[in-house]
Amino acid sequence: MSPHPDDHGRTGGLTHVRSDGTAHMVDVSAKAVTAREASAAGRVLLSAAAVSALREGAVPKGDALGVARLAGIQAVKRTPELIPLAHPVAVHAAHVDVTVVDDGVMIEATVRTADRTGIEMEALTAVSVAALALVDMVKAVDKHARITDVRVTAKSGGRSGDWRE
């Protein structure tokens, strides 16, 4: 399949938008394979009762923190299915930490690859899906759980170099 003749005719510097306004997947085939890493974080704000249930291992559905951690890791591998313009990349490592804090749960994910494009979307997807799984696990204890502050906290590798929040 030949590329669209306007794949490189970007609109306003946006890499995934052609000059005619249509979205497309960027061609990364000419980019060098480099080691890349991205980290993301987010929070799930919870009631004192939900925090207590997590700390005591008393969540009615079971191991909420373990389920959230595994959901985040599984989500990394499914990112290109969920994010339309994300490239499938070879995931070499995915680490998800889920930590109970006074006002809820802090979720942090770090994902590594050696590929032609970044892995930030995989790290963000890990945090987002881990947070959703946690909300599902604690909803019987806290119907007002709130996911907040999901963001990329660091990246390294690739042409744009390293960045840290």
Side-chain angles (χ1 to χ4, degrees):
M1 176 202 270
S2 62
H4 185 282
D6 202 20
D7 273 349
H8 301 289
R10 300 177 184 158
T11 300
L14 300 176
T15 60
H16 288 74
V17 180
R18 293 186 187 120
S19 57
D20 67 0
T22 58
H24 72 106
M25 181 181 268
V26 174
D27 182 353
V28 297
S29 60
K31 292 174 78 175
V33 171
T34 61
R36 298 163 185 266
E37 178 177 294
S39 296
R43 300 176 74 83
V44 179
L45 300 178
L46 297 169
S47 66
V51 169
S52 179
L54 287 167
R55 286 186 169 145
E56 296 168 12
V59 174
K61 281 188 158 184
D63 181 11
L65 301 176
V67 168
R69 189 172 33 260
L70 289 174
I73 292 168
Q74 183 177 353
V76 168
K77 299 183 283 183
R78 312 274 317 243
T79 299
E81 295 173 35
L82 301 169
I83 309 299
L85 300 179
H87 290 86
V89 295
V91 175
H92 295 136
H95 185 78
V96 178
D97 286 322
V98 183
T99 307
V100 179
V101 294
D102 289 342
D103 64 349
V105 174
M106 172 62 92
I107 302 168
E108 297 171 297
T110 299
V111 185
R112 291 183 191 94
T113 188
D115 217 314
R116 290 179 164 84
T117 190
I119 200 150
E120 297 90 346
M121 294 311 300
E122 285 74 6
L124 286 167
T125 302
V127 169
S128 299
V129 172
L132 290 167
L134 184 72
V135 168
D136 180 54
M137 293 296 288
V138 302
K139 66 186 176 191
V141 180
D142 187 351
K143 292 176 182 15
H144 302 287
R146 186 171 48 150
I147 299 168
T148 185
D149 298 323
V150 176
R151 69 215 182 270
V152 174
T153 57
K155 69 169 282 309
S156 65
R159 186 174 46 200
S160 64
D162 299 354
W163 175 85
R164 185 161 300 281
E165 182 179 64

